[in-house]
Amino acid sequence: MSNLENKLKKIVNTFNNINKEEGYRDIKKLSEKYKKNIKVLNVLSQISHKMGDIDTTINSLKKILLTENNNIDLLTKIYKLFLTKSSLDEALENINLILKIENNYEAIRDKAYIHFLKNEFAEATKCIEKIAKLKDDDYFGYNIKGLISLKNSKLDIAKNYFENAIKINKQYVDSYNNLGVCLLELEKLNEAYEIFLDGFNIDTKNIKTLINLGNVLSLQDKILEAIKIYNQALNLDPNNQEILSNIAICYCREGSLEEAKIYYDRAIEINPHDYKLQYAYCTLQLKLNKFSDSWNLFDSRLLIEKNKVKLTSFELVKNKLFDNLKIGTKENLLILREQGIGEEILFSSVYQDIIKRFENIKIEADKRLVSIFNRSFEKDIFVKDGYYSNSSKISEFESVVYAGSMVKFFRKRKADFKNKKFLLARKDLIDKYKKILSSYNEKLKVGISWKSIVNIYGSLKSLSIRDFEPLFADDRVIINLQYGSIEEDKQYISSQKKYLKTFDDLDLFNDIESCMGLLKNLDLFITVSNSTAHFAGALGIPTILICPKKSSTYYYWNTHDGSSIWYKNVKVLGIDISVSKTIEHINKIVKGNNKFDFSNN
């Protein structure tokens, strides 16, 4: 045995059996003398890896690679080390070297995963599709396919991949976390909780699992339980920004400003760009009528990733958006619509103020609203969404602002919210439905809407037609204002020998003009939070709005005092005990009344 081999053997023995630090010092010192020796570099790579010195491990493997430049095992080790460092581009570079040598299954799979981590979902899809069939035991591959399907909103396909991954390896916790997140997207909260719990039982200290458990509990309105779980995770990782942020959001949902601020400050110090948290904290202050503080953070809503995707003009106009604190009254001003039609109606409550202050404005709107806004605000300044913002015409404007960002100029204190109604329905359509409903003049005309179907986690805001069943009474005609498919609901009500007045020729979602004409003929509208609730509020229709969960209650519906300062004739009810108790309470309000005024509630 050579002298060098003896030295290496002694170093390995020292590292394994006597003193790791001493062994590590000795091999680094020896590598300085034998800089190109493969045996020395191999021992250095092994010891440095065990010591957690990833950079030294990579460098030593790269030096070996200079001699063995087509060694796939070496290239694989290197790219996996780069992955542990989250050095994705370097990992990808080494994977591509492998793929130039051979069509390597593992390299193609991991290339897809890297593109996924880089949010390059189209490239990730191309890579994973190059693998005709995953190996039967490749649970990691099934997870990658599931993650890509999840990002492409192919939820049922993603669910099958994650379930297959768990069948292959029941101890791999990431599969449980991925499946649980998929079930959350499918709005199956109870199933998601059980899956996360399975993952927790495998590893009680997995931070991601604890966060996911807390997320489900928070969405289920089990806020204190959620905070308890988040604190378990926080004990394991005291400076984890995501955990601090989630606890702050929980306290926001509880309406606990002092506690929310403690965790908000800690989380924002770590990540000043947590826009989701900024928006949650801002809306808590809005609920508490602290307007001067909240409007400063309100533009954070535009920077939340899932919102940016829905704002079709965002990339085109982002450079003009945020320098809007001082807009000259004579400037050419373009106002853009918000992402949902409900909030578009909400923010249109300041359009009259905007029209009075600014001389040269154009306002983009959902195409269903253009005629409504032009009529209601008596100005022919409204155009369909994208008319200016998606064309070269945008250069005509010195300032471009989303509608919600204009509110701060006009709603600085509670007294500034004066709108009782601000939209006008067409008289011919009001008269049309008045005539149709004239045969029910002896009865109270009550409209109902029980579902929100166009928002993420819409089921959290939704109820069942069965929940509304006690409202059906002989002295009332119950009129359908629920858009979307309701065939099963209609069949159920009919089977219970009850009558729901429907207008089958009326498209409640698209024909908003007719929907508004029908709303104007109601004595009362009872609904969950959806776009029709906003139309009713803007028209001044007496409305009882039910908020099933704190996690789905927005800043414009205040369940604490049962009101909305945005819409004066809306009464807001949270569900504290049960849905049936809330409906029972509504029944007491309705009985004996034929005129409703909630403006002072």
Side-chain angles (χ1 to χ4, degrees):
M1 186 179 291
S2 69
N3 185 44
L4 177 60
E5 287 175 330
N6 280 328
K7 287 180 179 179
L8 288 172
K9 186 177 180 181
K10 182 179 178 182
I11 287 170
V12 170
N13 181 62
T14 300
F15 181 82
N16 288 333
N17 302 310
I18 302 171
N19 187 306
K20 291 187 183 301
E21 293 290 344
E22 184 182 336
Y24 191 27
R25 282 195 304 271
D26 290 345
I27 189 61
K28 284 199 289 186
K29 186 176 180 180
L30 192 65
S31 69
E32 288 296 316
K33 184 176 180 181
Y34 297 94
K35 292 182 180 181
K36 295 182 180 180
N37 186 283
I38 301 299
K39 290 181 180 179
V40 174
L41 290 168
N42 263 318
V43 174
L44 175 61
S45 70
Q46 292 169 30
I47 289 179
S48 60
H49 193 203
K50 288 178 181 177
M51 292 296 289
D53 185 350
I54 304 300
D55 289 334
T56 299
T57 309
I58 291 172
N59 287 333
S60 57
L61 292 173
K62 279 184 173 181
K63 288 176 182 177
I64 299 172
L65 197 63
L66 293 173
T67 304
E68 304 175 20
N69 59 350
N70 285 330
N71 188 318
I72 288 174
D73 287 339
L74 274 177
L75 287 166
T76 301
K77 286 178 183 177
I78 291 169
Y79 89 68
K80 288 188 175 181
L81 286 166
F82 276 124
L83 269 178
T84 64
K85 289 183 61 181
S86 296
S87 300
L88 303 183
D89 290 331
E90 290 87 347
L92 199 55
E93 182 182 332
N94 284 275
I95 285 178
N96 287 332
L97 291 173
I98 293 172
L99 294 176
K100 284 180 181 178
I101 301 166
E102 69 174 31
N103 195 31
N104 184 284
Y105 171 93
E106 191 175 10
I108 295 170
R109 183 201 67 190
D110 290 349
K111 184 175 181 179
Y113 182 54
I114 290 169
H115 281 302
F116 171 81
L117 293 175
K118 294 177 71 175
N119 293 323
E120 297 167 353
F121 304 124
E123 286 300 315
T125 303
K126 283 181 193 175
C127 288
I128 205 70
E129 285 177 351
K130 288 180 182 176
I131 299 173
K133 187 176 183 297
L134 290 171
K135 292 179 180 177
D136 290 339
D137 63 347
D138 187 7
Y139 60 90
F140 189 67
Y142 277 103
N143 272 290
I144 294 170
K145 277 205 162 188
L147 288 167
I148 293 169
S149 297
L150 185 60
K151 283 295 181 183
N152 289 322
S153 298
K154 298 176 180 177
L155 301 180
D156 289 321
I157 294 173
K159 179 173 174 284
N160 287 334
Y161 283 131
F162 297 138
E163 287 173 342
N164 281 330
I166 289 171
K167 286 177 186 175
I168 295 167
N169 185 347
K170 290 182 169 58
Q171 298 303 308
Y172 187 60
V173 176
D174 283 4
S175 298
Y176 294 89
N177 282 319
N178 294 335
L179 176 57
V181 169
C182 186
L183 290 167
L184 277 183
E185 290 296 315
L186 288 164
E187 302 194 21
K188 297 180 178 180
L189 269 63
N190 292 333
E191 290 182 42
Y193 181 79
E194 292 301 322
I195 290 296
F196 290 139
L197 202 57
D198 289 342
F200 174 77
N201 289 332
I202 294 167
D203 181 0
T204 59
K205 294 185 178 181
N206 186 292
I207 291 172
K208 193 65 188 173
T209 307
L210 289 166
I211 290 172
N212 284 328
L213 280 168
N215 292 346
V216 180
L217 290 167
S218 179
L219 288 170
Q220 291 176 322
D221 264 9
K222 298 173 181 176
I223 305 295
L224 296 180
E225 290 180 49
I227 291 172
K228 184 177 178 181
I229 291 290
Y230 287 140
N231 276 319
Q232 278 183 245
L234 200 62
N235 287 335
L236 297 169
D237 189 357
N239 292 313
N240 186 304
Q241 195 272 342
E242 184 180 2
I243 303 168
L244 292 165
S245 174
N246 288 352
I247 295 174
I249 289 171
C250 275
Y251 281 122
C252 287
R253 287 174 176 165
E254 279 286 280
S256 304
L257 182 60
E258 288 185 14
E259 289 84 354
K261 188 176 188 312
I262 291 169
Y263 289 93
Y264 171 83
D265 288 342
R266 287 177 63 185
I268 290 297
E269 186 177 352
I270 296 169
N271 178 13
H273 305 298
D274 186 343
Y275 301 116
K276 183 180 176 183
L277 175 57
Q278 287 182 28
Y279 185 58
Y281 186 63
C282 147
T283 55
L284 168 60
Q285 294 185 90
L286 285 176
K287 282 183 186 179
L288 299 173
N289 299 332
K290 295 179 178 291
F291 302 110
S292 59
D293 295 330
S294 52
W295 292 135
N296 294 332
L297 294 172
F298 196 59
D299 279 349
S300 59
R301 76 197 184 284
L302 303 172
L303 296 167
I304 299 170
E305 283 303 317
K306 68 177 183 181
N307 292 349
K308 280 165 60 176
V309 171
K310 295 176 186 176
L311 296 167
T312 55
S313 305
F314 184 84
E315 288 302 317
L316 292 170
V317 302
K318 63 183 180 182
N319 293 331
K320 289 190 173 187
L321 279 178
F322 301 107
D323 187 21
N324 58 29
L325 292 176
K326 293 181 180 178
I327 302 174
T329 57
K330 297 183 185 299
E331 281 185 28
N332 290 327
L333 170 63
L334 175 64
I335 296 173
L336 306 177
R337 68 179 292 264
E338 296 285 330
Q339 59 175 309
I341 198 166
E343 290 201 341
E344 187 173 358
I345 295 300
L346 184 83
F347 299 137
S348 72
S349 62
V350 300
Y351 283 172
Q352 200 64 60
D353 300 286
I354 292 171
I355 290 166
K356 287 178 183 177
R357 181 178 298 187
F358 299 99
E359 296 179 16
N360 303 306
I361 57 172
K362 294 292 182 183
I363 302 177
E364 291 189 350
D366 185 293
K367 62 183 179 180
R368 296 168 291 175
L369 297 177
V370 172
S371 61
I372 296 168
F373 285 162
N374 278 328
R375 177 179 63 252
S376 299
F377 300 112
E378 300 178 315
K379 281 280 187 179
D380 190 18
I381 58 172
F382 295 90
V383 296
K384 69 177 182 179
D385 183 28
Y387 181 83
Y388 292 106
S389 58
N390 287 340
S391 75
S392 59
K393 294 177 182 178
I394 196 169
S395 61
E396 299 172 15
F397 299 94
E398 294 154 284
S399 293
V400 181
V401 187
Y402 278 100
S405 300
M406 294 298 293
V407 178
K408 60 177 170 279
F409 295 114
F410 306 102
R411 302 291 183 266
K412 297 179 179 178
R413 53 202 176 98
K414 188 175 180 180
D416 293 335
F417 291 80
K418 298 174 182 177
N419 297 311
K420 189 166 187 180
K421 59 182 178 180
F422 49 90
L423 292 189
L424 299 175
R426 273 171 43 185
K427 188 175 186 308
D428 61 320
L429 291 172
I430 297 172
D431 291 342
K432 171 186 173 181
Y433 288 104
K434 183 176 183 180
K435 184 177 180 180
I436 295 171
L437 294 170
S438 61
S439 58
Y440 302 103
N441 281 347
E442 299 302 315
K443 294 187 175 186
L444 199 66
K445 300 180 188 68
V446 179
I448 61 170
S449 179
W450 57 94
K451 289 191 288 187
S452 174
I453 60 174
V454 295
N455 292 284
I456 295 173
Y457 302 136
S459 64
L460 297 179
K461 301 193 291 179
S462 299
L463 296 173
S464 162
I465 187 69
R466 296 175 186 234
D467 296 320
F468 283 68
E469 199 175 338
L471 298 173
F472 288 77
D474 292 339
D475 61 341
R476 307 167 194 164
V477 57
I478 305 297
I479 301 167
N480 175 58
L481 268 296
Q482 179 59 58
Y483 49 80
S485 176
I486 62 162
E487 287 308 310
E488 289 185 12
D489 302 294
K490 286 162 62 177
Q491 289 172 16
Y492 172 77
I493 287 299
S494 179
S495 73
Q496 299 303 302
K497 310 299 182 190
K498 290 181 168 58
Y499 177 64
L500 176 67
K501 175 64 180 175
T502 61
F503 295 88
D504 294 332
D505 61 341
L506 170 55
D507 183 346
L508 287 161
F509 187 75
N510 290 304
D511 188 358
I512 293 172
E513 290 277 24
S514 294
C515 177
M516 288 170 60
L518 177 55
L519 280 165
K520 286 295 289 183
N521 281 278
L522 299 180
D523 296 303
L524 178 66
F525 181 42
I526 303 170
T527 184
V528 294
S529 178
N530 56 26
S531 59
T532 314
H534 288 278
F535 283 109
L539 288 165
I541 309 301
T543 299
I544 296 176
L545 187 133
I546 307 168
C547 291
K549 292 187 178 293
K550 291 174 183 174
S551 57
S552 63
T553 302
Y554 296 109
Y555 58 91
Y556 35 80
W557 311 130
N558 192 331
T559 55
H560 293 290
D561 65 10
S563 69
S564 171
I565 61 173
W566 299 79
Y567 305 116
K568 295 299 185 184
N569 219 17
V570 174
K571 184 177 184 65
V572 182
L573 296 177
I575 295 177
D576 293 324
I577 300 173
S578 67
V579 176
S580 60
K581 287 289 184 185
T582 302
I583 296 296
E584 186 181 312
H585 177 52
I586 292 172
N587 242 335
K588 289 178 182 176
I589 294 170
V590 177
K591 280 180 181 177
N593 284 310
N594 54 20
K595 289 187 178 180
F596 300 89
D597 182 1
F598 302 132
S599 59
N600 294 315
N601 62 60

